Structures are given as structure tokens and as C-alpha cells.
Amino acid sequence: MSVEIFYDDDADLSIIQGRKVAVIGYGSQGHAHALSLRDSGVDVRIGLLETSKSRAKAEEEGLRVLTPAEASAEADLIMILAPDTAQRHIYAKDIAPNLKDGDAIFFGHGFNIRYGLIEAPSGVDVAMVAPKGPGHLVRRQFVDGKGVPALIAIHQDATGGAQALALSYAAGIGGTRAGVIKTTFKEETETDLFGEQAVLCGGASALVQTGFEVLTEAGYAPEIAYFEVLHELKLIVDLMYEGGIARMRYSISDTAEYGDLTRGPRVVNAAVKEEMKKILGEIQDGTFANEWVAEDEAGRNNYKKLQAEGEQHPIEEVGKKLRGLMSWVDRPLTDTV
Ligand SMILES: NC(=O)C1=CN([C@@H]2O[C@H](COP(=O)(O)OP(=O)(O)OC[C@H]3O[C@@H](n4cnc5c(N)ncnc54)[C@H](OP(=O)(O)O)[C@@H]3O)[C@@H](O)[C@H]2O)C=CC1
Ligand SMILES: CC[C@](O)(C(C)=O)C(=O)O
Ligand SMILES: [Mg+2]
Ligand SMILES: [Mg+2]
């Protein structure tokens, strides 16, 4: 099934320039959206708690920072870029009481709509503009005159103009420079969660840590193991990114390619595929969402424990030392916030 892709010529930037936008949250995505919209001539205010650590950063950029309720009351388009688990509370307390017919609420990820945690009144447009990349890259690309591809989705088109509004917003953050694909909240949420759990974050981290453990437990130097299983991963992923797996295989030695073709499927074998299918099932039937919401409500103890274990993995210590030798690792993506 082919998808529709929209570019700058398909979007009317003046639509978003005529709205009052509140960006709730000023983290990875929030800072990128707010600064790029502002630079695109849009009237933006930020909604943050009085106690928020992000307030100073937004104010340093000259942005007007209000509470989430004040920002929502002033705005006619509210983009919610707070953590997924906080969104339903912010919505109930600060946004819903300030919504009028004709307003719009926007999301950067479909979690709360897909799992029914937020239900907007029928007079309000509900849409998503989800850049397919970390917020810091979204901002860096915008500043460099480029953009990160984005997804748009419309959950509720109360005004008849929700899609034009979403495309206009996407143009304001540079998305239509690269290409914007139309999807649904269901498809975006389920594929995004699957991608980050099974492949991009969960799968890749576990693969790297396990490879490092196998080499160091066999007596190889941690420094050498780090280079072989983590450092060079970027070089390989860059090749895949530029030209797919075929381009990567063209560029590596034939020894590496033979090992890839014969050993790769032994590592990610049929049992791993079955586990991936189970993970997808838990996303589709709401098991993961329920577990994550319950974990958050119970104080995130298991999350914090696993986080601390990850930070203490020996690969982190050796990595810190080796990255100190790499003069070119000098422009972290996080330098835009
Ligand atoms: N990270 C990414 O690149 C991507 C994120 N997304 C989606 O974007 C959304 C935002 O994620 P992300 O940018 O990672 O979030 P971050 O964790 O980076 O930032 C969250 C922001 O929300 C603020 N915040 C926390 N609680 C509240 C509250 N109760 N009221 C108002 N503001 C609050 C935080 O402020 P402080 O902590 O200072 O109080 C911070 O500024 C999510 O839906 C996520 O799934 C989608 C694609 C990629
Ligand atoms: C891959 C992680 C992500 O889905 C993203 C940056 O797109 C996220 O939720 O942060
Ligand atoms: Mg994602
Ligand atoms: Mg995600």
C-alpha cells in the first residue's frame, strides 16, 4: 500500500502563522517545535509547571513561559509535548477546562489517543505531527535549512481544516522540507512503540551489551570490545541509512559479509522473531500501555531500578574513557537545548 507524501508546496504556512500556539513541555521535542515555529513566524507560548527545570532554558531563548493552564487558555492550538504518562493529567486539569469549539489539540505521538487516555470534546480538532527523529535532530536540521521527515494523523476533524492545519504546523518545524507522510494514530503509536522496543532502543541496546559481555567474559579487552560492538555500529548504521542494508554489505569486506549472511540469522533467529511478535501483540492489545501507566502510577520503581542497572553496565565506563579520545565527538545532539 503506497502512502501519501506532502512537501512544502502542499502546505500553507500562513494557517499556522494565524494561530496562537501553546507548546506544553520544553524537552526534546518541545524545544524543537517551539523554537522552529517561532522562527517560522508563529505566535508561540510555552506551558510549564512553576517548578519546571525547563523554564530557564525556554526563557533564555526569549520564549514566553506560562503555566500549562494559562498557555492553554491563551492559545487556540495546544501541542502536548510533555511525557506520555503526564499528558492525561495535564489534559484533564489544565487543557480541557480551557478548550473552546474550533480549538485544536496536537500530539507528537499517539499514545494517549490510541489507548483512550484522552478524549477530546467533539468541537475540537485532534491531530498529530510526529517528526521521525529525536527533537534535537529536528531542531538542528531546521536551523541548517533542512528538516526531519514527519508523520501527520487526524483523529478528529471538527473544523474540516484539521489536515491543512497539521500540514501547516509540520511546515513550521521543517517537516515538509523533508516530506510528511499521512498515517493514523493507531499505526503511528503501534509501529513507534514496536520500533523503539524491539529494534531501535531495546533490541539494539541488548544486542550491543550482550556482544560486549560475550567478548569481555572471554577475556578480550573492554576497550577493544567497545570499538567492535558499539563504536563501529554507527559506521555500519550510517551506511544502512545512506543506502540500505545492500549498501552496507557492498561497503564491508567479503569476509564480514559472509559472516553477516551466515551468522546474523543465528543471532536474530526464529525464537527472537517469535518474541518480537509477542511484543507487538502486547502493544496491539494494550498490555504494554497498561503496564507502563501502572508502573508510572506506582512510582516507577522497576523503571528506576532497570535504568540504574543500565547506567552501571561496564560498557558505560569504558565508553566514557574512549570517547574522551575522540575529538570529533564534539557536537552532541543535545547541544540545542
Ligand atoms: N524524544 C523524542 O525525540 C520524541 C518524542 N516524541 C513524543 O513527544 C512527546 C514529548 O516527549 P519528549 O520530548 O521526549 O519529552 P521530554 O521528557 O524530553 O520533555 C518533557 C517536557 O515536559 C515537561 N513536563 C513534564 N511534566 C509536565 C507537566 N505536568 N506539565 C507541563 N510540562 C511538563 C518537562 O519539564 P520538566 O521536566 O523540566 O519539568 C519537559 O520540558 C511524547 O509524546 C513523546 O512520545 C515523539 C517522537 C520523538
Ligand atoms: C526511537 C525513540 C522514539 O520513538 C523516537 C525518538 O522517535 C521516542 O519515543 O523517543
Ligand atoms: Mg519514534
Ligand atoms: Mg517513541
Side-chain angles (χ1 to χ4, degrees), residues 24-25 29 79-96 105-114 117-119 185 296 300:
I24 310 297
Q29 287 292 321
M79 169 54 105
I80 312 179
L81 293 171
D84 295 313
T85 46
Q87 291 184 8
R88 67 189 190 287
H89 303 300
I90 302 170
Y91 176 79
K93 184 169 144 301
D94 302 318
I95 299 176
I105 45 172
F106 273 36
F107 294 84
H109 175 44
F111 192 89
N112 280 268
I113 294 291
R114 162 64 183 84
L117 301 167
I118 291 178
E119 283 178 33
F185 272 71
D296 178 62
R300 298 186 170 209

PDB file of all heavy atoms in Angstrom, residues 24-25 29 79-96 105-114 117-119 185 296 300:
ATOM      1  N   ILE A  24       3.118  22.634  25.200  1.00  0.00           N
ATOM      2  CA  ILE A  24       3.180  22.198  26.599  1.00  0.00           C
ATOM      3  C   ILE A  24       4.361  21.244  26.735  1.00  0.00           C
ATOM      4  O   ILE A  24       4.363  20.166  26.135  1.00  0.00           O
ATOM      5  CB  ILE A  24       1.871  21.487  27.031  1.00  0.00           C
ATOM      6  CG1 ILE A  24       0.629  22.330  26.666  1.00  0.00           C
ATOM      7  CG2 ILE A  24       1.911  21.135  28.523  1.00  0.00           C
ATOM      8  CD1 ILE A  24       0.524  23.665  27.354  1.00  0.00           C
ATOM      9  N   GLY A  25       5.371  21.665  27.499  1.00  0.00           N
ATOM     10  CA  GLY A  25       6.602  20.875  27.630  1.00  0.00           C
ATOM     11  C   GLY A  25       7.696  21.522  26.799  1.00  0.00           C
ATOM     12  O   GLY A  25       7.443  22.060  25.705  1.00  0.00           O
ATOM     13  N   GLN A  29      11.371  17.184  22.220  1.00  0.00           N
ATOM     14  CA  GLN A  29      10.510  17.636  21.127  1.00  0.00           C
ATOM     15  C   GLN A  29      10.029  19.070  21.339  1.00  0.00           C
ATOM     16  O   GLN A  29       9.983  19.864  20.405  1.00  0.00           O
ATOM     17  CB  GLN A  29       9.288  16.712  20.990  1.00  0.00           C
ATOM     18  CG  GLN A  29       9.607  15.354  20.411  1.00  0.00           C
ATOM     19  CD  GLN A  29      10.029  15.399  18.954  1.00  0.00           C
ATOM     20  OE1 GLN A  29       9.482  16.151  18.158  1.00  0.00           O
ATOM     21  NE2 GLN A  29      11.020  14.600  18.601  1.00  0.00           N
ATOM     22  N   MET A  79      -0.219  22.087  21.515  1.00  0.00           N
ATOM     23  CA  MET A  79       0.599  20.914  21.181  1.00  0.00           C
ATOM     24  C   MET A  79       1.122  20.343  22.496  1.00  0.00           C
ATOM     25  O   MET A  79       1.826  21.029  23.245  1.00  0.00           O
ATOM     26  CB  MET A  79       1.749  21.323  20.272  1.00  0.00           C
ATOM     27  CG  MET A  79       2.810  20.256  20.073  1.00  0.00           C
ATOM     28  SD  MET A  79       2.198  18.648  19.504  1.00  0.00           S
ATOM     29  CE  MET A  79       2.684  18.614  17.791  1.00  0.00           C
ATOM     30  N   ILE A  80       0.782  19.078  22.781  1.00  0.00           N
ATOM     31  CA  ILE A  80       1.168  18.474  24.063  1.00  0.00           C
ATOM     32  C   ILE A  80       2.460  17.685  23.869  1.00  0.00           C
ATOM     33  O   ILE A  80       2.456  16.607  23.269  1.00  0.00           O
ATOM     34  CB  ILE A  80       0.055  17.547  24.604  1.00  0.00           C
ATOM     35  CG1 ILE A  80      -1.306  18.252  24.532  1.00  0.00           C
ATOM     36  CG2 ILE A  80       0.369  17.113  26.030  1.00  0.00           C
ATOM     37  CD1 ILE A  80      -2.474  17.401  25.018  1.00  0.00           C
ATOM     38  N   LEU A  81       3.557  18.250  24.397  1.00  0.00           N
ATOM     39  CA  LEU A  81       4.862  17.589  24.270  1.00  0.00           C
ATOM     40  C   LEU A  81       5.487  17.345  25.643  1.00  0.00           C
ATOM     41  O   LEU A  81       6.697  17.482  25.839  1.00  0.00           O
ATOM     42  CB  LEU A  81       5.775  18.408  23.350  1.00  0.00           C
ATOM     43  CG  LEU A  81       5.293  18.427  21.891  1.00  0.00           C
ATOM     44  CD1 LEU A  81       6.088  19.406  21.054  1.00  0.00           C
ATOM     45  CD2 LEU A  81       5.326  17.034  21.261  1.00  0.00           C
ATOM     46  N   ALA A  82       4.649  17.015  26.584  1.00  0.00           N
ATOM     47  CA  ALA A  82       5.079  16.549  27.906  1.00  0.00           C
ATOM     48  C   ALA A  82       5.209  15.024  27.819  1.00  0.00           C
ATOM     49  O   ALA A  82       4.771  14.413  26.832  1.00  0.00           O
ATOM     50  CB  ALA A  82       4.050  16.957  28.940  1.00  0.00           C
ATOM     51  N   PRO A  83       5.806  14.387  28.827  1.00  0.00           N
ATOM     52  CA  PRO A  83       5.917  12.919  28.771  1.00  0.00           C
ATOM     53  C   PRO A  83       4.536  12.264  28.587  1.00  0.00           C
ATOM     54  O   PRO A  83       3.538  12.753  29.103  1.00  0.00           O
ATOM     55  CB  PRO A  83       6.520  12.565  30.133  1.00  0.00           C
ATOM     56  CG  PRO A  83       7.249  13.808  30.551  1.00  0.00           C
ATOM     57  CD  PRO A  83       6.444  14.949  30.024  1.00  0.00           C
ATOM     58  N   ASP A  84       4.527  11.149  27.870  1.00  0.00           N
ATOM     59  CA  ASP A  84       3.257  10.478  27.566  1.00  0.00           C
ATOM     60  C   ASP A  84       2.447  10.188  28.826  1.00  0.00           C
ATOM     61  O   ASP A  84       1.221  10.315  28.827  1.00  0.00           O
ATOM     62  CB  ASP A  84       3.539   9.170  26.806  1.00  0.00           C
ATOM     63  CG  ASP A  84       4.168   9.448  25.447  1.00  0.00           C
ATOM     64  OD1 ASP A  84       3.667  10.316  24.720  1.00  0.00           O
ATOM     65  OD2 ASP A  84       5.193   8.808  25.127  1.00  0.00           O
ATOM     66  N   THR A  85       3.122   9.794  29.910  1.00  0.00           N
ATOM     67  CA  THR A  85       2.403   9.431  31.135  1.00  0.00           C
ATOM     68  C   THR A  85       1.825  10.649  31.853  1.00  0.00           C
ATOM     69  O   THR A  85       0.899  10.504  32.669  1.00  0.00           O
ATOM     70  CB  THR A  85       3.343   8.689  32.107  1.00  0.00           C
ATOM     71  OG1 THR A  85       4.572   9.410  32.163  1.00  0.00           O
ATOM     72  CG2 THR A  85       3.590   7.260  31.669  1.00  0.00           C
ATOM     73  N   ALA A  86       2.370  11.849  31.586  1.00  0.00           N
ATOM     74  CA  ALA A  86       1.849  13.056  32.249  1.00  0.00           C
ATOM     75  C   ALA A  86       0.693  13.670  31.466  1.00  0.00           C
ATOM     76  O   ALA A  86      -0.083  14.466  32.008  1.00  0.00           O
ATOM     77  CB  ALA A  86       2.970  14.088  32.399  1.00  0.00           C
ATOM     78  N   GLN A  87       0.594  13.309  30.183  1.00  0.00           N
ATOM     79  CA  GLN A  87      -0.325  14.054  29.302  1.00  0.00           C
ATOM     80  C   GLN A  87      -1.778  14.006  29.744  1.00  0.00           C
ATOM     81  O   GLN A  87      -2.489  15.012  29.670  1.00  0.00           O
ATOM     82  CB  GLN A  87      -0.191  13.527  27.872  1.00  0.00           C
ATOM     83  CG  GLN A  87       1.161  13.875  27.252  1.00  0.00           C
ATOM     84  CD  GLN A  87       1.288  13.450  25.806  1.00  0.00           C
ATOM     85  OE1 GLN A  87       0.329  13.012  25.177  1.00  0.00           O
ATOM     86  NE2 GLN A  87       2.487  13.577  25.250  1.00  0.00           N
ATOM     87  N   ARG A  88      -2.252  12.846  30.210  1.00  0.00           N
ATOM     88  CA  ARG A  88      -3.680  12.777  30.539  1.00  0.00           C
ATOM     89  C   ARG A  88      -3.999  13.638  31.764  1.00  0.00           C
ATOM     90  O   ARG A  88      -5.092  14.184  31.877  1.00  0.00           O
ATOM     91  CB  ARG A  88      -4.136  11.334  30.728  1.00  0.00           C
ATOM     92  CG  ARG A  88      -3.570  10.625  31.922  1.00  0.00           C
ATOM     93  CD  ARG A  88      -3.949   9.142  31.850  1.00  0.00           C
ATOM     94  NE  ARG A  88      -3.634   8.450  33.089  1.00  0.00           N
ATOM     95  CZ  ARG A  88      -2.394   8.151  33.469  1.00  0.00           C
ATOM     96  NH1 ARG A  88      -1.355   8.509  32.738  1.00  0.00           N
ATOM     97  NH2 ARG A  88      -2.191   7.505  34.604  1.00  0.00           N
ATOM     98  N   HIS A  89      -3.033  13.751  32.683  1.00  0.00           N
ATOM     99  CA  HIS A  89      -3.257  14.591  33.874  1.00  0.00           C
ATOM    100  C   HIS A  89      -3.270  16.070  33.470  1.00  0.00           C
ATOM    101  O   HIS A  89      -4.111  16.839  33.931  1.00  0.00           O
ATOM    102  CB  HIS A  89      -2.153  14.340  34.912  1.00  0.00           C
ATOM    103  CG  HIS A  89      -2.051  12.890  35.320  1.00  0.00           C
ATOM    104  ND1 HIS A  89      -3.099  12.214  35.903  1.00  0.00           N
ATOM    105  CD2 HIS A  89      -1.034  11.991  35.212  1.00  0.00           C
ATOM    106  CE1 HIS A  89      -2.729  10.961  36.142  1.00  0.00           C
ATOM    107  NE2 HIS A  89      -1.483  10.806  35.721  1.00  0.00           N
ATOM    108  N   ILE A  90      -2.313  16.454  32.622  1.00  0.00           N
ATOM    109  CA  ILE A  90      -2.254  17.855  32.157  1.00  0.00           C
ATOM    110  C   ILE A  90      -3.527  18.179  31.381  1.00  0.00           C
ATOM    111  O   ILE A  90      -4.128  19.249  31.544  1.00  0.00           O
ATOM    112  CB  ILE A  90      -1.024  18.082  31.244  1.00  0.00           C
ATOM    113  CG1 ILE A  90       0.267  17.733  31.978  1.00  0.00           C
ATOM    114  CG2 ILE A  90      -0.986  19.512  30.735  1.00  0.00           C
ATOM    115  CD1 ILE A  90       1.503  17.700  31.077  1.00  0.00           C
ATOM    116  N   TYR A  91      -3.950  17.220  30.559  1.00  0.00           N
ATOM    117  CA  TYR A  91      -5.156  17.448  29.755  1.00  0.00           C
ATOM    118  C   TYR A  91      -6.365  17.693  30.666  1.00  0.00           C
ATOM    119  O   TYR A  91      -7.092  18.677  30.503  1.00  0.00           O
ATOM    120  CB  TYR A  91      -5.415  16.255  28.816  1.00  0.00           C
ATOM    121  CG  TYR A  91      -6.708  16.440  28.064  1.00  0.00           C
ATOM    122  CD1 TYR A  91      -6.765  17.281  26.956  1.00  0.00           C
ATOM    123  CD2 TYR A  91      -7.891  15.833  28.500  1.00  0.00           C
ATOM    124  CE1 TYR A  91      -7.965  17.504  26.302  1.00  0.00           C
ATOM    125  CE2 TYR A  91      -9.089  16.052  27.846  1.00  0.00           C
ATOM    126  CZ  TYR A  91      -9.116  16.889  26.752  1.00  0.00           C
ATOM    127  OH  TYR A  91     -10.315  17.132  26.115  1.00  0.00           O
ATOM    128  N   ALA A  92      -6.540  16.791  31.630  1.00  0.00           N
ATOM    129  CA  ALA A  92      -7.743  16.886  32.486  1.00  0.00           C
ATOM    130  C   ALA A  92      -7.736  18.170  33.318  1.00  0.00           C
ATOM    131  O   ALA A  92      -8.758  18.851  33.449  1.00  0.00           O
ATOM    132  CB  ALA A  92      -7.812  15.664  33.398  1.00  0.00           C
ATOM    133  N   LYS A  93      -6.560  18.510  33.855  1.00  0.00           N
ATOM    134  CA  LYS A  93      -6.501  19.628  34.805  1.00  0.00           C
ATOM    135  C   LYS A  93      -6.370  20.981  34.106  1.00  0.00           C
ATOM    136  O   LYS A  93      -7.018  21.951  34.485  1.00  0.00           O
ATOM    137  CB  LYS A  93      -5.291  19.392  35.735  1.00  0.00           C
ATOM    138  CG  LYS A  93      -5.134  20.391  36.843  1.00  0.00           C
ATOM    139  CD  LYS A  93      -4.092  19.888  37.831  1.00  0.00           C
ATOM    140  CE  LYS A  93      -3.240  20.960  38.431  1.00  0.00           C
ATOM    141  NZ  LYS A  93      -2.446  21.789  37.553  1.00  0.00           N
ATOM    142  N   ASP A  94      -5.519  21.053  33.084  1.00  0.00           N
ATOM    143  CA  ASP A  94      -5.142  22.366  32.542  1.00  0.00           C
ATOM    144  C   ASP A  94      -5.683  22.664  31.155  1.00  0.00           C
ATOM    145  O   ASP A  94      -5.881  23.832  30.808  1.00  0.00           O
ATOM    146  CB  ASP A  94      -3.608  22.483  32.471  1.00  0.00           C
ATOM    147  CG  ASP A  94      -2.958  22.285  33.835  1.00  0.00           C
ATOM    148  OD1 ASP A  94      -3.497  22.825  34.814  1.00  0.00           O
ATOM    149  OD2 ASP A  94      -1.918  21.596  33.902  1.00  0.00           O
ATOM    150  N   ILE A  95      -5.881  21.618  30.355  1.00  0.00           N
ATOM    151  CA  ILE A  95      -6.253  21.882  28.953  1.00  0.00           C
ATOM    152  C   ILE A  95      -7.770  21.815  28.766  1.00  0.00           C
ATOM    153  O   ILE A  95      -8.376  22.773  28.269  1.00  0.00           O
ATOM    154  CB  ILE A  95      -5.531  20.901  28.006  1.00  0.00           C
ATOM    155  CG1 ILE A  95      -4.006  21.090  28.134  1.00  0.00           C
ATOM    156  CG2 ILE A  95      -5.984  21.111  26.565  1.00  0.00           C
ATOM    157  CD1 ILE A  95      -3.167  20.121  27.333  1.00  0.00           C
ATOM    158  N   ALA A  96      -8.382  20.689  29.192  1.00  0.00           N
ATOM    159  CA  ALA A  96      -9.822  20.502  28.932  1.00  0.00           C
ATOM    160  C   ALA A  96     -10.666  21.695  29.393  1.00  0.00           C
ATOM    161  O   ALA A  96     -11.537  22.162  28.642  1.00  0.00           O
ATOM    162  CB  ALA A  96     -10.301  19.202  29.574  1.00  0.00           C
ATOM    163  N   ILE A 105      -6.132  20.339  19.488  1.00  0.00           N
ATOM    164  CA  ILE A 105      -5.066  19.771  20.318  1.00  0.00           C
ATOM    165  C   ILE A 105      -4.235  18.840  19.438  1.00  0.00           C
ATOM    166  O   ILE A 105      -4.753  18.030  18.675  1.00  0.00           O
ATOM    167  CB  ILE A 105      -5.530  19.050  21.604  1.00  0.00           C
ATOM    168  CG1 ILE A 105      -6.701  18.151  21.356  1.00  0.00           C
ATOM    169  CG2 ILE A 105      -5.822  20.008  22.725  1.00  0.00           C
ATOM    170  CD1 ILE A 105      -7.020  17.309  22.587  1.00  0.00           C
ATOM    171  N   PHE A 106      -2.927  19.024  19.572  1.00  0.00           N
ATOM    172  CA  PHE A 106      -1.971  18.292  18.743  1.00  0.00           C
ATOM    173  C   PHE A 106      -1.083  17.433  19.635  1.00  0.00           C
ATOM    174  O   PHE A 106      -0.839  17.755  20.809  1.00  0.00           O
ATOM    175  CB  PHE A 106      -1.086  19.282  17.956  1.00  0.00           C
ATOM    176  CG  PHE A 106      -1.671  19.727  16.633  1.00  0.00           C
ATOM    177  CD1 PHE A 106      -3.030  19.928  16.470  1.00  0.00           C
ATOM    178  CD2 PHE A 106      -0.836  19.950  15.539  1.00  0.00           C
ATOM    179  CE1 PHE A 106      -3.560  20.341  15.243  1.00  0.00           C
ATOM    180  CE2 PHE A 106      -1.340  20.356  14.314  1.00  0.00           C
ATOM    181  CZ  PHE A 106      -2.702  20.560  14.162  1.00  0.00           C
ATOM    182  N   PHE A 107      -0.584  16.359  19.057  1.00  0.00           N
ATOM    183  CA  PHE A 107       0.300  15.423  19.759  1.00  0.00           C
ATOM    184  C   PHE A 107       1.533  15.151  18.888  1.00  0.00           C
ATOM    185  O   PHE A 107       1.468  15.241  17.664  1.00  0.00           O
ATOM    186  CB  PHE A 107      -0.422  14.096  20.010  1.00  0.00           C
ATOM    187  CG  PHE A 107      -1.585  14.225  20.967  1.00  0.00           C
ATOM    188  CD1 PHE A 107      -2.835  14.640  20.515  1.00  0.00           C
ATOM    189  CD2 PHE A 107      -1.417  13.958  22.313  1.00  0.00           C
ATOM    190  CE1 PHE A 107      -3.896  14.783  21.396  1.00  0.00           C
ATOM    191  CE2 PHE A 107      -2.479  14.104  23.205  1.00  0.00           C
ATOM    192  CZ  PHE A 107      -3.717  14.518  22.737  1.00  0.00           C
ATOM    193  N   GLY A 108       2.638  14.775  19.573  1.00  0.00           N
ATOM    194  CA  GLY A 108       3.850  14.363  18.859  1.00  0.00           C
ATOM    195  C   GLY A 108       3.970  12.848  18.811  1.00  0.00           C
ATOM    196  O   GLY A 108       4.906  12.297  18.221  1.00  0.00           O
ATOM    197  N   HIS A 109       3.028  12.178  19.445  1.00  0.00           N
ATOM    198  CA  HIS A 109       2.999  10.709  19.487  1.00  0.00           C
ATOM    199  C   HIS A 109       1.569  10.335  19.902  1.00  0.00           C
ATOM    200  O   HIS A 109       0.955  11.035  20.707  1.00  0.00           O
ATOM    201  CB  HIS A 109       4.025  10.216  20.515  1.00  0.00           C
ATOM    202  CG  HIS A 109       4.039   8.737  20.756  1.00  0.00           C
ATOM    203  ND1 HIS A 109       3.981   7.809  19.756  1.00  0.00           N
ATOM    204  CD2 HIS A 109       4.118   8.029  21.922  1.00  0.00           C
ATOM    205  CE1 HIS A 109       4.027   6.589  20.283  1.00  0.00           C
ATOM    206  NE2 HIS A 109       4.111   6.698  21.588  1.00  0.00           N
ATOM    207  N   GLY A 110       1.064   9.217  19.359  1.00  0.00           N
ATOM    208  CA  GLY A 110      -0.360   8.939  19.518  1.00  0.00           C
ATOM    209  C   GLY A 110      -0.787   8.197  20.768  1.00  0.00           C
ATOM    210  O   GLY A 110      -1.970   7.865  20.915  1.00  0.00           O
ATOM    211  N   PHE A 111       0.141   7.932  21.686  1.00  0.00           N
ATOM    212  CA  PHE A 111      -0.103   7.044  22.826  1.00  0.00           C
ATOM    213  C   PHE A 111      -1.428   7.318  23.551  1.00  0.00           C
ATOM    214  O   PHE A 111      -2.254   6.424  23.742  1.00  0.00           O
ATOM    215  CB  PHE A 111       1.068   7.177  23.804  1.00  0.00           C
ATOM    216  CG  PHE A 111       1.120   6.149  24.890  1.00  0.00           C
ATOM    217  CD1 PHE A 111       1.795   4.949  24.702  1.00  0.00           C
ATOM    218  CD2 PHE A 111       0.513   6.363  26.114  1.00  0.00           C
ATOM    219  CE1 PHE A 111       1.861   3.984  25.706  1.00  0.00           C
ATOM    220  CE2 PHE A 111       0.566   5.410  27.129  1.00  0.00           C
ATOM    221  CZ  PHE A 111       1.245   4.219  26.916  1.00  0.00           C
ATOM    222  N   ASN A 112      -1.639   8.557  23.971  1.00  0.00           N
ATOM    223  CA  ASN A 112      -2.810   8.866  24.818  1.00  0.00           C
ATOM    224  C   ASN A 112      -4.135   8.775  24.074  1.00  0.00           C
ATOM    225  O   ASN A 112      -5.155   8.430  24.674  1.00  0.00           O
ATOM    226  CB  ASN A 112      -2.639  10.250  25.460  1.00  0.00           C
ATOM    227  CG  ASN A 112      -1.729  10.180  26.660  1.00  0.00           C
ATOM    228  OD1 ASN A 112      -2.176  10.003  27.782  1.00  0.00           O
ATOM    229  ND2 ASN A 112      -0.422  10.265  26.411  1.00  0.00           N
ATOM    230  N   ILE A 113      -4.115   9.068  22.776  1.00  0.00           N
ATOM    231  CA  ILE A 113      -5.344   8.940  21.978  1.00  0.00           C
ATOM    232  C   ILE A 113      -5.567   7.469  21.634  1.00  0.00           C
ATOM    233  O   ILE A 113      -6.665   6.932  21.813  1.00  0.00           O
ATOM    234  CB  ILE A 113      -5.237   9.813  20.704  1.00  0.00           C
ATOM    235  CG1 ILE A 113      -5.198  11.301  21.086  1.00  0.00           C
ATOM    236  CG2 ILE A 113      -6.364   9.502  19.745  1.00  0.00           C
ATOM    237  CD1 ILE A 113      -6.481  11.879  21.656  1.00  0.00           C
ATOM    238  N   ARG A 114      -4.533   6.786  21.209  1.00  0.00           N
ATOM    239  CA  ARG A 114      -4.661   5.375  20.799  1.00  0.00           C
ATOM    240  C   ARG A 114      -5.196   4.512  21.940  1.00  0.00           C
ATOM    241  O   ARG A 114      -5.992   3.608  21.723  1.00  0.00           O
ATOM    242  CB  ARG A 114      -3.284   4.858  20.321  1.00  0.00           C
ATOM    243  CG  ARG A 114      -3.109   3.343  20.265  1.00  0.00           C
ATOM    244  CD  ARG A 114      -4.020   2.669  19.252  1.00  0.00           C
ATOM    245  NE  ARG A 114      -3.894   1.220  19.250  1.00  0.00           N
ATOM    246  CZ  ARG A 114      -4.525   0.388  20.074  1.00  0.00           C
ATOM    247  NH1 ARG A 114      -5.366   0.872  20.979  1.00  0.00           N
ATOM    248  NH2 ARG A 114      -4.337  -0.915  19.997  1.00  0.00           N
ATOM    249  N   LEU A 117      -6.720   7.375  26.653  1.00  0.00           N
ATOM    250  CA  LEU A 117      -6.418   8.056  27.920  1.00  0.00           C
ATOM    251  C   LEU A 117      -6.845   9.524  27.866  1.00  0.00           C
ATOM    252  O   LEU A 117      -7.016  10.170  28.900  1.00  0.00           O
ATOM    253  CB  LEU A 117      -4.917   7.951  28.233  1.00  0.00           C
ATOM    254  CG  LEU A 117      -4.387   6.514  28.345  1.00  0.00           C
ATOM    255  CD1 LEU A 117      -2.864   6.478  28.347  1.00  0.00           C
ATOM    256  CD2 LEU A 117      -4.924   5.849  29.610  1.00  0.00           C
ATOM    257  N   ILE A 118      -6.985  10.051  26.659  1.00  0.00           N
ATOM    258  CA  ILE A 118      -7.501  11.416  26.472  1.00  0.00           C
ATOM    259  C   ILE A 118      -8.642  11.339  25.461  1.00  0.00           C
ATOM    260  O   ILE A 118      -8.486  10.750  24.389  1.00  0.00           O
ATOM    261  CB  ILE A 118      -6.392  12.366  25.943  1.00  0.00           C
ATOM    262  CG1 ILE A 118      -5.328  12.602  27.024  1.00  0.00           C
ATOM    263  CG2 ILE A 118      -6.992  13.698  25.483  1.00  0.00           C
ATOM    264  CD1 ILE A 118      -4.163  13.490  26.591  1.00  0.00           C
ATOM    265  N   GLU A 119      -9.781  11.943  25.834  1.00  0.00           N
ATOM    266  CA  GLU A 119     -10.900  12.007  24.887  1.00  0.00           C
ATOM    267  C   GLU A 119     -11.327  13.455  24.772  1.00  0.00           C
ATOM    268  O   GLU A 119     -11.824  14.038  25.733  1.00  0.00           O
ATOM    269  CB  GLU A 119     -12.053  11.130  25.368  1.00  0.00           C
ATOM    270  CG  GLU A 119     -11.778   9.656  25.107  1.00  0.00           C
ATOM    271  CD  GLU A 119     -12.868   8.736  25.621  1.00  0.00           C
ATOM    272  OE1 GLU A 119     -14.043   9.149  25.606  1.00  0.00           O
ATOM    273  OE2 GLU A 119     -12.505   7.614  26.059  1.00  0.00           O
ATOM    274  N   PHE A 185      -3.435   7.518  14.064  1.00  0.00           N
ATOM    275  CA  PHE A 185      -2.915   7.449  15.437  1.00  0.00           C
ATOM    276  C   PHE A 185      -2.567   6.001  15.793  1.00  0.00           C
ATOM    277  O   PHE A 185      -1.575   5.739  16.471  1.00  0.00           O
ATOM    278  CB  PHE A 185      -3.944   8.009  16.429  1.00  0.00           C
ATOM    279  CG  PHE A 185      -3.831   9.505  16.640  1.00  0.00           C
ATOM    280  CD1 PHE A 185      -4.198  10.398  15.645  1.00  0.00           C
ATOM    281  CD2 PHE A 185      -3.352  10.022  17.836  1.00  0.00           C
ATOM    282  CE1 PHE A 185      -4.080  11.775  15.829  1.00  0.00           C
ATOM    283  CE2 PHE A 185      -3.231  11.392  18.043  1.00  0.00           C
ATOM    284  CZ  PHE A 185      -3.598  12.270  17.032  1.00  0.00           C
ATOM    285  N   ASP A 296       4.112   3.815  36.122  1.00  0.00           N
ATOM    286  CA  ASP A 296       4.241   5.259  36.388  1.00  0.00           C
ATOM    287  C   ASP A 296       3.435   5.625  37.640  1.00  0.00           C
ATOM    288  O   ASP A 296       3.929   6.338  38.522  1.00  0.00           O
ATOM    289  CB  ASP A 296       3.726   6.035  35.173  1.00  0.00           C
ATOM    290  CG  ASP A 296       3.791   7.532  35.383  1.00  0.00           C
ATOM    291  OD1 ASP A 296       4.911   8.033  35.555  1.00  0.00           O
ATOM    292  OD2 ASP A 296       2.729   8.186  35.396  1.00  0.00           O
ATOM    293  N   ARG A 300       7.264   4.245  39.569  1.00  0.00           N
ATOM    294  CA  ARG A 300       8.330   3.891  38.619  1.00  0.00           C
ATOM    295  C   ARG A 300       9.508   3.152  39.258  1.00  0.00           C
ATOM    296  O   ARG A 300      10.657   3.303  38.813  1.00  0.00           O
ATOM    297  CB  ARG A 300       8.879   5.150  37.934  1.00  0.00           C
ATOM    298  CG  ARG A 300       7.872   5.912  37.121  1.00  0.00           C
ATOM    299  CD  ARG A 300       8.544   7.046  36.367  1.00  0.00           C
ATOM    300  NE  ARG A 300       7.607   7.628  35.407  1.00  0.00           N
ATOM    301  CZ  ARG A 300       7.967   8.203  34.269  1.00  0.00           C
ATOM    302  NH1 ARG A 300       9.227   8.326  33.954  1.00  0.00           N
ATOM    303  NH2 ARG A 300       7.071   8.705  33.461  1.00  0.00           N
TER     304      ARG A 300
END
